[in-house]
Amino acid sequence: MRFRILGPLEVFDGTHWRGISAAKPRTLLATLLVQRDVPVPTGRLGAELWGEREPKAAANLIQQYVMRLRRELGDRQGRLLVTRPPGYQMVLADEDDLDAAAFARLGDSGRVALAAGDAERAAGLLAEALALWRGPALVDVPTGPMVEAEAARLAEQRLDVLQARVEADLACGRHAALVPELRQSVREHPLREGLWGQLMLALYRSGRQAEALDAYREVHRLLADELSIEPSAPLCDLQLRMLRGDPRLGLPATETEAEAEAEGQDQGEREGEGEAEGEGDARARSKSRRRPRPESRPSVEASRAGQPSAAPRQLPAAVAGFAGRRAELRLLDKLPADASAGPGPAVCVIAGTAGAGKTSLALHWAHRAAPHFPDGQLYVNLHGFAPATGPMSPGEAIRGFLEALSVPPERIPDAPEARAALLRTETAGRRLLFVLDNAADAAQVRPLLPGSAGCAVVVTSRGQLTGLAVTDGAVLLSLDVLPREEARELLAARLGADQVAAEPEPVTELIDLCARLPLALAVTAARAVGRPGFALSAVVAELRDVRGRLEALDAGEGVSSVRTVFSWSYRRLDTATARMFRLLGLHPGRDVAAPAVAALAGLSVREAAAALTALARVHLIAEHRPGRYSFHDLLRAYATDLTAAEDSEAARTAALHRLLDHCLHSARAARRHLAPARGEVPLPPPVTGSVPRDPEGYEEAMAWFEAEHAVLLAVADAAGPAGFDGHAWQLPLAMADFLHLSGRWHDWVSTQRTAIVAARQQGDRAGTALCHCESGRAAIRMRRYEEAHRELLRALELQRGLGDLTAQADTLRTLAWSYEQQGDYRAALQRVKQVLELQRAVGNLAGQAGALNNIGWCHTHLGDHEEALARCREALRLHLDGGSPLGAAYTWETLGFIHHSMGQYAEAVDSYRQCRDGFRRFGNRYGEADALHHLGGSLRMTGDQEAARDAWHAALAILDELEHPDADVVRELLLTTAG
């Protein structure tokens, strides 16, 4: 599915482009498309759709609009418009499936070609980008804050690309042909001085010097009348050179001329402002902000010889083969405008783990943005994490900047505060770009910041530098590993598109083995280029060995060795935090929270949280969700190597034991809230240093399992090979009810198979029987009934041998359920009667009530509704007398079904409402959704269609939130009853 927003919003359905007819769904789709890099919370969607008049039922209405959009897009499974808490996200298969993304890519490629001197290619790429526009962006979308801001940004970006394309055409000598277009452009955008400069140059090179000077007089008069200001210095300089007949102005492609043109056009951009926000607004802002440059001070400081010095151009060369990072570049592209509009400099901090490509991104963007900063670009490597030299002092960095700005050495004071003050003085009124690379912390950066508007500062650091956001208004850009497609682009840029296309499977595996880390990909690509006779599959084979992978990613120099670059961050850690980082290499899960880390390291939760924060601050781990941390596979391999080298085997085993006990006892405590009537085997207490979690109530237990289930699966798989067979079968049992209730049935099946093997290996017959029973339950849910019967009969055989009546009752109840699922209610009834006898024998009132409920269920399916009612009413009495609200809710559900089957729909509605309320009070979200599902069916039979659909919508909201497969059943009900 492809989308266009550069004009009216349109969707390509495979045959033709079409719009979205309804306004609210159109706005919703537009919002999700412009914010496609992140999930958009429901609350923000409400503000976008209704503003201050957001209705009380906004969340429900948004859900309906989402359903409608999914139908229109043919996305009923929600794979394109994804439910992603706390809201929704559009997930496009390819970046170019959105015309705005294709426009940005072509624009970037065109600018790169222009900077490299390939004007013809640049002109073609930039023209192709502009051809994607069909009118103002999102012109038919009722705008909210996000859509309006994006439309304005795109309009500004279009003007930037237009000027770059004109610059390329000028370099190609197409002067005369550009004149009519540029005359029209300056009429449409009269405050954009860059366009006026290009018009003047096109006229001059076409032999129309008088018209070029007339154009200057026209813009001079316009600026004086409208804004009471003079034209910018580059535009004035261009006029003077024309008056003098500077011969270089007639040359279309010299480096000097290209620089002059860029200065002229981009000075206009910064001072003319973008008209996407409204010409009147732009003029008002310019009046309040802009003032003529003092005559006594040229655009750059005079040198000691009295001649104007060149503006500093300190940027190192951009990294060859740069690719991707489109979302981050879009954010950085806002800096020039922010630098003009704000009261002080625009600051952006690019933070990320070692090897993420922070410097590459900063330099790539800085070269691209340099024309916006005609007074120069300053660069310093602050060596924030250099192991040998240590961080550079702010005073030393300032001295370098002042010297680059032609301040004589005798004027540079010794005191750091005085140097910082002089830097602010020297940069006032200038448009400069600062790149502060590899900063240690905010304290190192803060003295280097200019004091006034017009300048932009890009900082790279392994630290988060949140202090700069708090005190200096910095934008924080966290750089993660590359998205898969951008990693492929990086390899194509380094290896060539043909080689990448010729070996797609090795390329995919290579990307995964390099953890999508730019440094690792670059090192691997260099190895491949250096061995031209080898296929990529040979390089991949070297990387498959986890233990040797870091050695394979060593290009022989410090900055080109993944291990060495990681070590620079690790060596900065204190002893306790370094130990925790090493032990994290033992954790088998993809992410981790503070309580589990506390167990792993034998610390308090508070101490563990502080250490995790310290690790995240230097990006050795990432807080990818609030309170949950992860690191990519190469950092995991590095941590694993460190713990093997620095921690004893006994220390590693003890750490893993604490973690396993924490997971098992926490899961057991949470399971009790999901199925309080289920029996369980006794466990030894957790080892010292392992403090389990104990959720309060059903809802908190489900939430804990939702957060931890992937970790628990990984821990269960790792327990057996690590020698902890008891944990390897007990943990799957503790997870079983959650996996059942949440619809993760394949995980349920696979974990029980592992559990059976581990229980047998440990020689625990009762545990083996429980695992067979649980395996049978999972097989029933998967409709593998023969397999289920085999597993359950094995369990019964073991339990009878042990004389365990309670366990037999549980297994017989499961066997009855298998017959129910097959429609054999007579066989099921026989089994649940046996269950009732066993529960009476052991005196379990809750078990008796559950059996009576099941007996009633079987009777009503056999047509004996009166007997069913009698049995269920008896069950309800026992549940209420015994204080079992959850059991009562299940019984109300059966009563609702019986009444519905008898045609007593009003009574069924009452029963299902009791059931819904019971599950809701208990916090059982799935039970509540199931009750609402059936309540809707009974309401429909009473003739109340509106109430029925309300119940189904409420059920669907819960099931979608749980990502439960039953959501599709309810969604189909709503679709078939629509209208």
Side-chain angles (χ1 to χ4, degrees), residues 347-477:
V347 183
C348 180
V349 177
I350 304 174
T353 189
K358 301 179 292 294
T359 300
S360 297
L361 171 63
L363 291 178
H364 176 82
W365 178 82
H367 279 280
R368 190 170 85 173
H372 290 277
F373 301 94
D375 292 331
Q377 301 88 47
L378 298 166
Y379 171 88
V380 65
N381 184 345
L382 295 171
H383 299 290
F385 291 81
T389 62
M392 178 185 290
S393 70
E396 183 181 353
I398 293 172
R399 171 179 282 280
F401 286 161
L402 292 172
E403 290 175 349
L405 293 169
S406 300
V407 176
E410 60 271 16
R411 284 190 54 212
I412 300 175
D414 291 331
E417 295 82 0
R419 284 189 185 181
L422 181 58
L423 178 66
R424 293 192 292 271
T425 300
E426 292 296 321
T427 56
R430 299 190 183 190
R431 288 188 60 85
L432 290 158
L433 173 61
F434 289 70
V435 178
L436 312 181
D437 196 15
N438 198 18
D441 50 35
Q444 187 188 27
V445 168
R446 198 167 282 116
L448 309 183
L449 299 181
S452 59
C455 296
V457 183
V458 176
V459 185
T460 74
S461 178
R462 298 187 190 184
Q464 293 176 331
L465 275 58
T466 51
L468 290 179
V470 175
T471 60
D472 300 276
V475 174
L476 303 182
L477 195 165

Side-chain angles (χ1 to χ4, degrees), residues 659-832:
L659 173 67
L660 290 168
D661 269 12
H662 167 82
C663 292
L664 175 57
H665 284 269
S666 299
R668 174 70 72 86
R671 175 193 169 279
R672 293 191 192 105
H673 296 290
L674 306 188
R678 295 284 301 278
E680 56 188 27
V681 294
L683 292 178
V687 294
T688 302
S690 178
V691 180
R693 293 290 301 275
D694 188 3
E696 294 183 6
Y698 181 96
E699 190 167 0
E700 189 175 322
M702 283 294 288
W704 182 84
F705 269 124
E706 286 287 350
E708 299 290 348
H709 78 273
V711 170
L712 298 175
L713 291 172
V715 168
D717 283 342
F724 294 91
D725 289 322
H727 296 79
W729 67 264
Q730 291 161 352
L731 188 51
L733 282 180
M735 296 177 64
D737 287 290
F738 165 75
L739 296 174
H740 181 196
L741 291 170
S742 63
R744 294 176 170 88
W745 300 328
H746 290 284
D747 289 338
W748 192 13
V749 169
S750 63
T751 55
Q752 294 314 310
R753 287 174 179 165
T754 302
I756 290 170
V757 173
R760 284 177 180 164
Q761 191 162 327
Q762 196 182 30
D764 192 311
R765 295 177 67 200
T768 304
L770 281 173
C771 294
H772 277 300
C773 182
E774 202 60 53
S775 179
R777 290 180 72 211
I780 293 167
R781 178 52 78 183
M782 299 295 291
R783 299 182 180 178
R784 302 171 184 168
Y785 299 115
E786 291 185 5
E787 177 185 334
H789 288 179
R790 288 196 302 270
E791 293 293 320
L792 294 169
L793 291 175
R794 287 172 188 159
L796 273 175
E797 182 182 358
L798 288 167
Q799 289 160 349
R800 285 169 178 159
L802 294 167
D804 190 337
L805 300 184
T806 300
Q808 290 176 53
D810 286 340
T811 302
L812 285 167
R813 182 177 57 191
T814 305
L815 191 57
W817 180 43
S818 74
Y819 288 124
E820 287 178 24
Q821 295 298 302
Q822 298 172 79
D824 189 350
Y825 287 96
R826 293 195 183 279
L829 181 59
Q830 180 184 354
R831 298 300 183 183
V832 292

Side-chain angles (χ1 to χ4, degrees), residues 33 84 104 199 279 418 523 600 721 743 746 834 955 968:
L33 285 171
R84 188 157 288 170
L199 173 60
E279 182 178 320
V523 171
L600 185 69
H746 290 284
Q834 292 177 291
D968 293 336

Side-chain angles (χ1 to χ4, degrees), residues 539-558:
V539 179
V540 169
E542 294 177 348
L543 294 176
R544 284 193 186 118
D545 176 17
V546 175
R547 294 183 178 179
R549 192 174 305 167
L550 292 175
E551 282 71 21
L553 294 173
D554 186 345
E557 303 175 25

Side-chain angles (χ1 to χ4, degrees), residues 202-216:
L203 288 166
Y204 187 87
R205 289 182 178 174
S206 300
R208 300 156 70 175
Q209 180 180 4
E211 292 179 65
L213 294 172
D214 280 344
Y216 176 79

Side-chain angles (χ1 to χ4, degrees), residues 504-527:
E505 292 182 4
V507 165
T508 298
E509 187 176 358
L510 187 151
I511 289 169
D512 290 338
L513 291 172
C514 289
R516 294 180 281 133
L517 188 71
L519 174 60
L521 290 165
V523 171
T524 302
R527 288 172 65 87

Side-chain angles (χ1 to χ4, degrees), residues 803-976:
D804 190 337
L805 300 184
T806 300
Q808 290 176 53
D810 286 340
T811 302
L812 285 167
R813 182 177 57 191
T814 305
L815 191 57
W817 180 43
S818 74
Y819 288 124
E820 287 178 24
Q821 295 298 302
Q822 298 172 79
D824 189 350
Y825 287 96
R826 293 195 183 279
L829 181 59
Q830 180 184 354
R831 298 300 183 183
V832 292
K833 286 181 177 179
Q834 292 177 291
V835 172
L836 181 59
E837 292 173 5
L838 289 169
Q839 297 290 12
R840 284 173 173 165
V842 297
N844 185 345
L845 290 180
Q848 293 172 46
L852 287 165
N853 183 37
N854 291 335
I855 288 171
W857 181 259
C858 292
H859 275 300
T860 198
H861 280 85
L862 292 170
D864 193 351
H865 303 307
E866 294 297 337
E867 179 66 16
L869 283 173
R871 293 294 187 150
C872 285
R873 285 167 179 160
E874 186 182 355
L876 186 61
R877 179 182 57 79
L878 285 174
H879 279 309
L880 294 176
D881 290 346
S884 176
L886 182 61
Y890 281 114
T891 306
W892 278 119
E893 184 175 32
T894 306
L895 285 166
F897 183 85
I898 296 169
H899 285 302
H900 189 98
S901 301
M902 296 173 72
Q904 299 170 349
Y905 302 118
E907 290 85 349
V909 166
D910 289 341
S911 295
Y912 280 128
R913 282 175 173 158
Q914 292 275 10
C915 172
R916 176 203 61 192
D917 294 345
F919 282 132
R920 182 179 290 167
R921 282 194 297 271
F922 202 76
N924 186 329
R925 300 284 284 158
Y926 174 74
E928 181 184 351
D930 196 44
L932 286 163
H933 175 191
H934 295 298
L935 174 61
S938 295
L939 284 165
R940 184 185 182 192
M941 296 306 294
T942 67
D944 194 343
Q945 299 289 338
E946 184 177 354
R949 289 182 61 79
D950 286 345
W952 288 331
H953 276 301
L956 183 61
I958 296 171
L959 293 168
D960 274 340
E961 181 185 332
L962 297 175
E963 299 183 357
H964 199 284
D966 285 0
D968 293 336
V969 177
V970 180
R971 189 174 287 111
E972 191 63 31
L973 271 174
L974 285 163
L975 290 173
T976 56

